[in-house]
Amino acid sequence: MGGPGDPPEGTPEGGPGGGEDEYRSVVFDESFVRAARLQEYSARERMTDHAPAVRRRPPLHRGLSRQALILVLLIAVAFGTAIYMGVRHPYQSSVARRPVEPLRMTVIPLTPQGKVPGKADAEYLYAHSPAAQFRVGAEGIPLPATRRTAHFSESQVVAALTTAKDYIVRSALYPEVIGSQDVRAVRVMLDGAQLDQFDQSLARPTADGRHQPTGWLVRFDQTRAELADRRIRVQGSMEATETDSATLEVTADHTFVYALKPTGSSAKAPASLFTVRREMHFRFDRDDLRLHQAQVVVSYVQAGPLSCAEDSTNHFHPLLAGQTARSGGPAGTDPYATGGATALCGTLAAGAQPKV
């Protein structure tokens, strides 16, 4: 009779010298055991006639089912398509845009009736001129009270007014623009459809009511004049209205007063005042509001003291303290008044000059 470790019939003849030696090379690691698909029936199940000793276990389902895999692929394809369309056609508007009109501009030089008043103290000139109560810089361009319109929210109306103000500040108060050094700060504010007109105005200035740089911005001939005081005086008003369900318009009317002196002169050189009245109409669709850009559709400018004999298309060539105009205009025009001028060259009203 065999020992407790031997088979009932004893050790097979001709086999290796012991049961342990026969199976010593077989290793049943954990992965092998888990992968086995045979499972022994219970004792009760084996009591049934002709029941097999073991039954085959159902295969383990690893990973995602076919349906789940297909769903994941569909989601990935849809997500990738959305990203592609967003990159290929960003911010595509569902409503057709209204055609962008070119800027229509009028620039009227105002010639003085006598010598241009001057004083070394720019503050004195301001205090004794109609600009005495004007605010300094952007403070003179406050936003009006706002409310929503039929098709635009209050925040959209505020965005239109803010963008218009930003354009006005950049085009009339930035030193690099005023000094004819750089216009990029203004250019980036324009609707893309107006960039060609703007670029043509700077490259080939023409007094045709479409391509005058001084209709887009305020800038002086830097070989003639420079700021004597960077605290430019400003006063005016703004108003926003809805013209249709897709368009907001902003009307701005401001007067700017600059203290100028000859380029390169000393701080004690006499300064004089130069006045620019600008009436501007801006138009905004929803794309413009989102991009913080504006369509400038009308620009009406009166500026002086200037000589009507000199071309003010590209730059303003201001008459400085003590200078007189070589030719005059047909009638006196006051840029501080609300009425519009009717001539292409006007005479600067005596009341618009400081009293020295």
Side-chain angles (χ1 to χ4, degrees):
M1 188 171 180
D6 297 331
E9 293 80 8
T11 303
E13 294 182 3
E20 294 181 2
D21 292 337
E22 182 178 0
Y23 299 101
R24 184 171 296 167
S25 61
V26 180
V27 178
F28 299 97
D29 58 9
E30 183 178 356
S31 63
F32 177 85
V33 174
R34 289 183 177 179
R37 294 190 177 183
L38 297 179
Q39 181 179 14
E40 185 179 0
Y41 283 93
S42 66
R44 183 180 297 277
E45 291 173 328
R46 289 199 303 270
M47 290 174 63
T48 305
D49 290 340
H50 309 293
V54 295
R55 62 183 174 188
R56 186 173 284 276
R57 296 174 62 186
L60 293 175
H61 293 281
R62 296 180 179 273
L64 297 173
S65 66
R66 179 177 297 177
Q67 292 84 352
L69 182 60
I70 293 174
L71 180 61
V72 170
L73 289 175
L74 289 175
I75 293 174
V77 171
F79 185 68
T81 302
I83 293 177
Y84 172 79
M85 293 301 294
V87 173
R88 187 73 178 83
H89 305 286
Y91 308 115
Q92 192 171 37
S93 176
S94 59
V95 180
R97 292 192 69 191
R98 177 177 177 177
V100 177
E101 298 180 8
L103 170 59
R104 294 175 287 113
M105 59 187 72
T106 303
V107 179
I108 301 176
L110 304 178
T111 183
Q113 299 182 33
K115 286 186 178 181
V116 177
K119 200 80 171 179
D121 185 359
E123 288 290 342
Y124 180 92
L125 292 176
Y126 281 128
H128 292 79
S129 76
Q133 303 303 319
F134 285 16
R135 295 183 179 182
V136 176
E139 293 182 359
I141 314 174
L143 298 183
T146 58
R147 61 180 181 180
R148 63 171 294 119
T149 65
H151 299 92
F152 291 89
S153 66
E154 182 177 350
S155 62
Q156 289 175 314
V157 176
V158 171
L161 289 165
T162 302
T163 304
K165 174 179 178 177
D166 200 5
Y167 181 93
I168 293 168
V169 169
R170 295 184 183 206
S171 63
L173 297 178
Y174 271 28
E176 64 269 27
V177 175
I178 297 171
S180 302
Q181 298 161 351
D182 196 348
V183 298
R184 286 177 295 179
V186 178
R187 190 180 189 276
V188 297
M189 295 294 302
L190 292 172
D191 184 288
Q194 289 190 316
L195 292 179
D196 285 345
Q197 183 188 4
F198 180 82
D199 292 340
Q200 291 176 16
S201 299
L202 273 294
R204 297 181 296 276
T206 306
D208 60 357
R210 291 289 190 273
H211 300 94
Q212 296 171 255
T214 48
W216 294 96
L217 45 84
V218 176
R219 66 177 186 172
F220 300 106
D221 179 0
Q222 59 183 340
T223 66
R224 177 175 297 187
E226 63 183 11
L227 290 175
D229 185 351
R230 287 179 173 264
R231 294 172 296 176
I232 301 164
R233 303 309 199 263
V234 187
Q235 180 171 281
S237 61
M238 300 176 67
E239 181 183 8
T241 57
E242 177 183 313
T243 56
D244 57 49
S245 61
T247 310
L248 281 174
E249 285 197 0
V250 172
T251 303
D253 186 352
H254 294 87
T255 300
F256 303 83
V257 185
Y258 306 82
L260 302 177
K261 66 177 183 178
T263 299
S265 61
S266 67
K268 295 182 179 180
S272 59
L273 298 186
F274 188 90
T275 304
V276 178
R277 165 93 176 277
R278 298 174 87 199
E279 298 179 36
M280 307 196 74
H281 293 231
F282 300 91
R283 185 172 294 158
F284 302 88
D285 57 25
R286 286 177 171 78
D287 285 342
D288 293 320
L289 296 176
R290 175 174 48 81
L291 297 173
H292 193 63
Q293 294 178 342
Q295 304 172 35
V296 189
V297 294
V298 175
S299 174
Y300 186 88
V301 180
Q302 304 171 41
L306 291 168
S307 173
C308 292
E310 294 195 69
D311 186 6
S312 299
T313 299
N314 194 14
H315 302 85
F316 290 128
H317 306 279
L319 294 174
L320 302 175
Q323 295 180 337
T324 58
R326 286 184 288 170
S327 61
T333 302
D334 187 350
Y336 294 94
T338 58
T342 58
L344 294 180
C345 184
T347 301
L348 185 64
Q353 296 276 48
K355 306 217 173 10
V356 297

